[in-house]
Amino acid sequence: MKRILVIHGPNLNLLGKREPAVYGKTTLLQINNSLKALSRRLKVKLTIKQTNVEGEIVDLIQGARAKFDGILINPAAYTHTSVAIRDAIAASGIATIEVHLSNIYAREEFRQKSLISPVANGTVLGFGSKSYLLGLEALLDIIS
Amino acid sequence: MKRILVIHGPNLNLLGKREPAVYGKTTLLQINNSLKALSRRLKVKLTIKQTNVEGEIVDLIQGARAKFDGILINPAAYTHTSVAIRDAIAASGIATIEVHLSNIYAREEFRQKSLISPVANGTVLGFGSKSYLLGLEALLDIIS
Amino acid sequence: MKRILVIHGPNLNLLGKREPAVYGKTTLLQINNSLKALSRRLKVKLTIKQTNVEGEIVDLIQGARAKFDGILINPAAYTHTSVAIRDAIAASGIATIEVHLSNIYAREEFRQKSLISPVANGTVLGFGSKSYLLGLEALLDIIS
Amino acid sequence: MKRILVIHGPNLNLLGKREPAVYGKTTLLQINNSLKALSRRLKVKLTIKQTNVEGEIVDLIQGARAKFDGILINPAAYTHTSVAIRDAIAASGIATIEVHLSNIYAREEFRQKSLISPVANGTVLGFGSKSYLLGLEALLDIIS
Amino acid sequence: MKRILVIHGPNLNLLGKREPAVYGKTTLLQINNSLKALSRRLKVKLTIKQTNVEGEIVDLIQGARAKFDGILINPAAYTHTSVAIRDAIAASGIATIEVHLSNIYAREEFRQKSLISPVANGTVLGFGSKSYLLGLEALLDIIS
Amino acid sequence: MKRILVIHGPNLNLLGKREPAVYGKTTLLQINNSLKALSRRLKVKLTIKQTNVEGEIVDLIQGARAKFDGILINPAAYTHTSVAIRDAIAASGIATIEVHLSNIYAREEFRQKSLISPVANGTVLGFGSKSYLLGLEALLDIIS
Amino acid sequence: MKRILVIHGPNLNLLGKREPAVYGKTTLLQINNSLKALSRRLKVKLTIKQTNVEGEIVDLIQGARAKFDGILINPAAYTHTSVAIRDAIAASGIATIEVHLSNIYAREEFRQKSLISPVANGTVLGFGSKSYLLGLEALLDIIS
Amino acid sequence: MKRILVIHGPNLNLLGKREPAVYGKTTLLQINNSLKALSRRLKVKLTIKQTNVEGEIVDLIQGARAKFDGILINPAAYTHTSVAIRDAIAASGIATIEVHLSNIYAREEFRQKSLISPVANGTVLGFGSKSYLLGLEALLDIIS
Amino acid sequence: MKRILVIHGPNLNLLGKREPAVYGKTTLLQINNSLKALSRRLKVKLTIKQTNVEGEIVDLIQGARAKFDGILINPAAYTHTSVAIRDAIAASGIATIEVHLSNIYAREEFRQKSLISPVANGTVLGFGSKSYLLGLEALLDIIS
Amino acid sequence: MKRILVIHGPNLNLLGKREPAVYGKTTLLQINNSLKALSRRLKVKLTIKQTNVEGEIVDLIQGARAKFDGILINPAAYTHTSVAIRDAIAASGIATIEVHLSNIYAREEFRQKSLISPVANGTVLGFGSKSYLLGLEALLDIIS
Amino acid sequence: MKRILVIHGPNLNLLGKREPAVYGKTTLLQINNSLKALSRRLKVKLTIKQTNVEGEIVDLIQGARAKFDGILINPAAYTHTSVAIRDAIAASGIATIEVHLSNIYAREEFRQKSLISPVANGTVLGFGSKSYLLGLEALLDIIS
Amino acid sequence: MKRILVIHGPNLNLLGKREPAVYGKTTLLQINNSLKALSRRLKVKLTIKQTNVEGEIVDLIQGARAKFDGILINPAAYTHTSVAIRDAIAASGIATIEVHLSNIYAREEFRQKSLISPVANGTVLGFGSKSYLLGLEALLDIIS
């Protein structure tokens, strides 16, 4: 049974409350429940984390080396600024999928660049909470 | 039963033969067969087109208005240069998903920009031929 | 009696349906009818073409050399990307007027540049369908 | 009877004498006479001003609020540098047409940008003195 | 006996008539005749095509895979804008020489960039119609 | 008793009428009255000027040298373009506070730069008419 | 009684010791004491935090949603790099004032950009420790 | 006897008082006296003007057409921003020399560009008040 | 006896495992052992820290003020993005040496900029683990 | 009999030894021998020089004015940096052909610019040592 | 009696022959003779050198330290590219005047930047050979 | 016994005299003596050269191929402009260390880029003359 680490980046704990025009009304709890439902169907073991601290995301990715088969990450605001998370993914040696709720390439200039994409196995973006489910499916496909 | 138009952009007819280090060994026929298999399972009606001519892609998108419920497009080389295809999608009023085999944001500078993303409902990139299948699934989810 | 070739670029056949907030509610048929009415009043002979294919616009301009006294062109999306249409106009040796429905300089960054303006005799932009009528009038003024 | 304010920006009083290769041989007096002739035909009341001082153009536009139905302006050199004139037009609430004698987009780099276009109702450029006449006609069309 | 495909890009059919100050007075017919004369001397079989449509150039290059030993291409205006032609050449697996009549690096800024050069085996530029002959000679040298 | 010169830049005389969505509904008269009320409470002597002419603002600043203890300026549109006002402030040797009604750094690109900030003692921006009152208070604090 | 959260960003705990030529000799303790004195006068309840960790600032802002009426923040070094703090403020729905001791627009290039300004209600900068007091006053004005 | 118009741009009336570290201690009166002394020696007739208003400098240059044989101008702050003064000089048809007290190319980025240099006959910069004397000598050399 | 604080930035704990083609096979333990061996020979007291959290590096540097004579830091990914660490070093008043295992100026564009170099006493880069030893030696040289 | 000067720029004397993956295995001696063989066939007189000093290349070009009918130059590293060589060619008045072994436009960013191309009669690049032979042939064609 | 070193940079030995439209018809010999005539009148001792080699110019400037009171230099092509000459002038400690025959700021983009201006005492440009004479006069003025 | 070539670039012969605020008071002779002292201790054979001519540095590097085991180079001003020296090092096949006295990344913009770093084995910068000693040590470490 495959083990997947899901990492939610900064401010995603506010989902549903935060700027619903941009991020939709679904809460993080609902996303996590959808992910768990899908994981039961796909028979994978899910561990879900959220943190606002860049370095803790680096810690999580580093810690995943021996314990997980894949990482599903929404780096949120750190997508555009974190070389450290990028390096951690490149160093992790684990299949990693990047997801975004919104279409970052249709937003402000400074969001139209992902430091994470070049080191991710693939990216799913713009489908709202559905991005996570597609990403999980794709991740399982890769590590199988 | 939903009707989906799949559009393959320029040079995708060479898949499997063209630079396999970048685009993988799967041929366009195999991708189309996978798409058809999935479409049967999802019970959607698929029409598949490939053309190398920018203006014909515009024609296809325009023609889709009355006849299709959604568009799944890999604009390939025109991703980075075609304002005309962008305008056609924006004008079409139909749900449109953008897919890419490779991770365009990890390649040459001039490929790290999509004129299509801002008008697409969502984007799936970097999963090889699997990008199409995830995209089809996402598209159906949106138009249902 | 002067002969004028009117060229409508990509997606203009969707006028009235396409993003009316940007392009207005007038259809291409209505624009063509206004142009014809004005041409009767000005006593010029009008030929009107629309195509989505960049190369066909080049063909039209090249073919105009012997047969027309002036060209009235709305290059639409190709305004910003087509060196080929620019070269065709420069090579045609015929008076050419560029028109735009919307004010392209008040829109997205990538639309704020015209490759066509430097080789056109003049430009009329931002007056909606009225841009065509002013352009036709100006064109006749030049070739008389 | 509609009242129109025509504003000629800096150095336009030198027309006919100044760089005729770029701006033509027509003098400002001749342009004004053509405008007056057309205004009689269109039955509009014209007031014509010329000044070299940016702030006086701002004064003129501000003063037009109650007294005029439309503004026809050739901002000349201030086209490329004046945020103040732009703000005045945006604040005026009166239909405003921008005209240029030459094709500014075919000249020096620093002239290929108009701060005025985004707040004007429309722009006519490159037709020499004819630009004014087309602009007046278009302006009347808008305010009628 | 080697088979060579010669592709003339957009507007080259106007050679001799189009801006002779830039492109010289030689017509495309004369260039083709020179190429044929040289091909007879070099004992290669020549097929010559001209089209204004970007996608048709892509078609031609794709179609060359089994039928030709080398391609001699003047992409003209598409040199600076076509990722599709670039991808087609990279995918073709056939030796390809890029030629230009004029020195594109001594002209307008937007012409001082070739998307084709990085995927061509070599480039000859600035020698007028002689560029083609040098290119053909070089091509034969490579495929022999 | 300290003497303060308040300078309102171009178009601020239109406040309340001009784009209220951006600048609020308060008129310049109301701002001046608030400033006067505060000046009475703070026991400073206020002189208030408004002009649309860049050079007159330079004149005002130059003239302030002997007659005022501090300057409170909203350079408005000239914030982004006037080296002359910047030089006048640098040369004046008088404490100068820059204020803006709106948050200029959240607006158009060309407004996201202040030539004045580097030579001002401090800047208050984004609080609507309250910016002036905070600025006056700060100015008094500095010159006391 | 209004509750205000004051957040001091990285290195502000060194105030008075750190580069006094740039930041002045006032210590953070002295600033906090001034703020407390003013808060007593204005009858607001102040909570003051300082941290060097970007993610902890995000945590503080998120935590403020139910417990505070306004935020007074000096993001210090994170002003120029933190999309995460920007997103947290935008998501918080609480009035937020940005303050800076120095004039960031008169310093190094990389400091002349604030990611925070566009989401703050207003900004006060360049007045040394007085910036905080003006900011607190402005904040109270907004939330009253 | 040659007639020369000397134009001092904005803030030059403050010379000697304004930032002596940059501009030296010489006053404008002293510069004018040196110029007059030299003019007597060179037997030219000098008219000297100073204004802070851009448009008035344009007026002065336009008015010089019939009345002067040459212009000696220090455009000061307008050097870097005024297209209007540039156009006036180009239109004037009179020999024009540009002078600067300081070395503008060794100062702030925004001062390292002169819109005036391309239309001046020559430029003298960096010699303090001596720049004017060298410029006058050079001007006389040109118009003789 | 001099006291030196060694700070290893994010992901350096993965050394030897992480992309050995770029960073070599030496582990962080081996580097620390080499540093300790050298410190014994040089008779300095070494304290070694590693953390992935930007703010904790700021904390470490701030805490070093009274307790250490010098800092040897490899800021790793934060080299390119952290204004906070830069400010902490500038504020620390302690001699600080920056080291890098790889040649950051021969890698990706975004790594070819160090925010740390301008505030470090010196930099050693590109020598693999030897960079640390050279840096320690240089640091001792400076603080002696 | 035509006299041709061949100039090999810096580091070309290392050909065959230097980075053969980029420059091929042919030595400069072999290239010179091929050139001599061709020159005998074409009946031209060849003089061949190699130097690493920019100024000596300028000397060679200047000295060619009276003594040679054409120049064949591979400016190597100076292609991208030498205004002096460019000026010498422009001043020489002799037909000059630029050649490159590799395709400079497919290499590092800083090599994708030639200061020489705009002043050369033509350019041949990317054919390895064959570039020289094609260049010599083209040169003879021009000067005949 | 003051000793002045005059340095002519690359290609200036071709003056009169080289592009007379840009540089005039005066030869270097004539300029040198004018300089000598003026030097006799001003009673300074002149040494004149010309070289095409950047490093030799550096040698000349270095050698001037003990032997000359001032340097008059036209760095020609090296103006825009030579950090070495700039450093030599900054290191020389001798008054140095930069002169140019043409107006470099009215020419190609790459010539519109002087690396030398920021370290020169002053610059004279655009007066043809007269630039040297004005420069010599100014230099004497400075060192007296 | 290892043989090392030390190359000092332009203006380094002026060390101690040249801008001591930037480069320190140590003379080149003192640096060479320190290097020799260290070389005796490390038992390596040192050859030391200084030249101001770019091409001679290329000559020295080329000549080192057979005769030296390593190069220690301070390219000084040529660091930022010389593709030729970069190519020579890349071609030399000998271990090469780049050193700088000052921290080039904390100086003018144009010095914040090294063309040499990407082809050097490592770089030591900012330690004054100590940079050379550390560099020599590192070089010996690499070639042993």
Side-chain angles (χ1 to χ4, degrees), chain D residues 106-118:
Chain D
R107 299 182 61 195
E108 301 99 323
E109 181 75 19
F110 68 84
R111 286 194 217 268
Q112 295 183 24
K113 195 179 97 159
S114 169
L115 280 164
I116 307 307
S117 280

Side-chain angles (χ1 to χ4, degrees), chain L residues 8-135:
Chain L
H8 299 296
N11 294 306
L12 290 170
N13 51 332
L14 297 186
L15 272 180
K17 295 155 233 168
R18 170 193 178 199
E19 297 169 273
V22 177
Y23 300 99
K25 288 183 182 170
T26 316
T27 63
L28 191 60
L29 186 64
Q30 291 171 317
I31 288 177
N32 288 343
N33 285 341
S34 303
L35 277 168
K36 284 174 193 163
L38 180 60
S39 74
R40 278 187 297 269
R41 192 148 53 76
L42 297 174
K43 299 198 188 313
V44 303
K45 193 166 171 311
L46 232 56
T47 304
I48 302 178
K49 300 283 181 186
Q50 192 277 331
T51 172
N52 293 325
V53 182
E54 181 184 12
E56 290 180 4
I57 296 179
V58 174
D59 288 345
L60 283 169
I61 295 166
Q62 291 188 357
R65 288 177 71 103
K67 297 197 236 121
F68 293 93
D69 301 295
I71 298 173
L72 186 70
I73 185 169
N74 180 346
Y78 293 132
T79 303
H80 322 296
T81 63
S82 179
V83 178
I85 294 176
R86 176 196 180 112
D87 284 356
I89 292 172
S92 75
I94 306 177
T96 302
I97 303 295
E98 176 195 22
V99 299
H100 295 283
L101 298 162
S102 65
N103 180 344
I104 58 174
Y105 297 104
R107 299 182 62 196
E108 300 99 323
E109 182 73 20
F110 68 84
R111 286 193 216 269
Q112 294 182 26
K113 194 178 98 158
S114 169
L115 281 164
I116 307 306
S117 281
V119 296
N121 292 62
T123 303
V124 183
L125 62 92
F127 301 100
S129 59
K130 178 79 180 172
S131 292
Y132 281 95
L133 303 181
L134 291 163

Side-chain angles (χ1 to χ4, degrees), chain I residues 25-100:
Chain I
K25 288 185 182 169
T26 316
T27 64
L28 191 60
L29 186 64
Q30 290 171 317
I31 289 178
N32 288 343
N33 285 341
S34 303
L35 277 169
K36 284 174 194 163
L38 180 60
S39 74
R40 278 187 298 269
R41 192 147 54 76
L42 297 174
K43 300 197 187 311
V44 304
K45 193 168 169 308
L46 231 57
T47 304
I48 301 178
K49 301 282 181 188
Q50 192 277 330
T51 172
N52 294 324
V53 183
E54 181 184 13
E56 290 179 7
I57 296 179
V58 173
D59 289 344
L60 285 169
I61 295 167
Q62 290 188 357
R65 288 177 71 103
K67 297 197 237 123
F68 292 94
D69 301 295
I71 297 173
L72 186 70
I73 185 168
N74 179 346
Y78 293 132
T79 304
H80 322 296
T81 64
S82 180
V83 178
I85 294 175
R86 177 196 179 111
D87 284 356
I89 292 173
S92 76
I94 306 177
T96 302
I97 303 294
E98 174 196 23
V99 298
H100 295 284

Side-chain angles (χ1 to χ4, degrees), chain H residues 103 117 121 123 125-127 137, chain K residues 97 103 117 121 123 125-126 137:
Chain H
N103 180 344
S117 281
N121 291 62
T123 303
L125 62 92
F127 299 100
E137 219 176 305
Chain K
I97 303 294
N103 180 345
S117 280
N121 292 63
T123 303
L125 62 91
E137 219 177 303

